[in-house]
Amino acid sequence: QQSSPLGAIVDHGIDAFCAFTTGIAVVNTIDPTLSSVRIMLGYCMFHLSWFSAQWGELELGALDQRGITEGEFATMFALAIPGIIDLDFFSWRIYGSITFQLIMEIGVTVGCGAVSLAFFVKVMMATSGRRLEASLPFLHMCLHSAVAVLLAGTQFGQENTMLNFLLVGMDAALLMTKVRLAATMHCNWPLVHLDTLPFITVASLEIAGIHLGAAFFSALLLFQLISFTLLWFDTVGRICRGLDIPFLAPVPVKKA
């Protein structure tokens, strides 16, 4: 049970950004070079599974919280084990060319992909007659993931790995925050997201062989950060006006 709709927005809204930052920490721990397209796929599947849980609440009316604790422990394990055993632990070979990094990449991709698929099936079964409309948020996130994986294989993606992961993560954070807001406020999901459209457009140009350069992508990251800040500024402002409470309340002075 959640305490209140406002609590859900604050709690899971922050979680949306933490899913981005935690994902960055995990992929850097598993593969510091970030050179594998597989690790980008795992990164996107991790975000898709979190997104799908919120999307499930939007369409089914309840948040399925199963697996949250297990996922947190798996994350802690991935971050801690190199420090406990060896910094190069994930590059150790198990058999032939199979490394712990490969096992982790496949495990996250398959596990999170299975969770996302399960939510998709549940929502499709529960939304007969409006399946295309109901699937729109999920399709947006799938488009994001497909573009991200393709971008990781481009010249830009291979030469600017950290910047690439930051761009993908910020785009995911915008979508994850919006689906959380939609689930709590029961509002319609837009057909086009103007704040995520630049990432899709610029990434598609790079994938098509039109190279824009790292400076252009850095400007895009700045745009994403501003959009994310304005999204929360607008949301909190609307909540404060609706509840008739000040955005910043004065701190009462304690009497001696």
Side-chain angles (χ1 to χ4, degrees):
Q1 296 293 328
Q2 299 184 74
S3 58
S4 68
L6 180 59
I9 288 176
V10 175
D11 181 8
H12 300 301
I14 293 173
D15 284 345
F17 186 74
C18 289
F20 154 49
T21 55
T22 301
I24 288 288
V26 172
V27 296
N28 270 282
T29 302
I30 295 173
D31 178 16
T33 65
L34 301 177
S35 58
S36 169
V37 175
R38 288 189 308 270
I39 204 161
M40 175 60 82
L41 178 59
Y43 183 59
C44 291
M45 289 299 101
F46 170 67
H47 290 155
L48 181 60
S49 64
W50 192 96
F51 182 96
S52 297
Q54 316 306 312
W55 173 56
E57 181 182 351
L58 172 64
E59 295 297 338
L60 304 175
L63 179 64
D64 191 337
Q65 302 182 46
R66 291 175 296 178
I68 295 175
T69 302
E70 292 81 356
E72 290 173 343
F73 273 101
T75 300
M76 288 187 284
F77 172 78
L79 293 173
I81 196 167
I84 295 171
I85 299 179
D86 187 270
L87 293 178
D88 296 323
F89 171 79
F90 286 107
S91 64
W92 286 6
R93 294 184 182 276
I94 302 172
Y95 179 79
S97 61
I98 300 175
T99 62
F100 282 107
Q101 175 184 331
L102 179 61
I103 296 297
M104 184 66 75
E105 290 170 346
I106 293 175
V108 171
T109 300
V110 172
C112 292
V115 169
S116 303
L117 181 60
F119 274 109
F120 178 78
V121 172
K122 287 168 63 177
V123 170
M124 290 299 99
M125 291 177 64
T127 56
S128 178
R130 50 179 295 273
R131 285 173 176 161
L132 181 59
E133 177 189 353
S135 65
L136 196 58
F138 188 82
L139 294 176
H140 273 137
M141 197 64 180
C142 287
L143 173 63
H144 156 85
S145 301
V147 170
V149 172
L150 291 172
L151 183 61
T154 64
Q155 179 181 341
F156 165 78
Q158 292 296 304
E159 294 178 355
N160 305 273
T161 53
M162 177 54 75
L163 177 57
N164 188 34
F165 271 81
L166 289 173
L167 286 163
V168 170
M170 276 305 305
D171 193 64
L174 282 163
L175 290 170
M176 290 188 291
T177 301
K178 286 184 175 185
V179 77
R180 179 61 257 166
L181 297 176
T184 299
M185 300 178 179
H186 305 287
C187 54
N188 294 326
W189 185 263
L191 181 63
V192 177
H193 295 262
L194 295 178
D195 48 2
T196 64
L197 193 58
F199 169 76
I200 297 295
T201 303
V202 172
S204 297
L205 289 174
E206 182 69 28
I207 293 166
I210 303 173
H211 306 299
L212 301 173
F216 197 93
F217 281 96
S218 298
L220 175 59
L221 179 60
L222 178 61
F223 169 81
Q224 290 177 320
L225 290 168
I226 293 172
S227 297
F228 187 79
T229 303
L230 291 176
L231 172 62
W232 271 109
F233 181 82
D234 179 65
T235 300
V236 174
R238 289 171 183 263
I239 292 172
C240 291
R241 288 192 296 272
L243 298 177
D244 193 24
I245 57 176
F247 183 76
L248 293 175
V251 178
V253 179
K254 292 183 178 180
K255 295 182 179 180

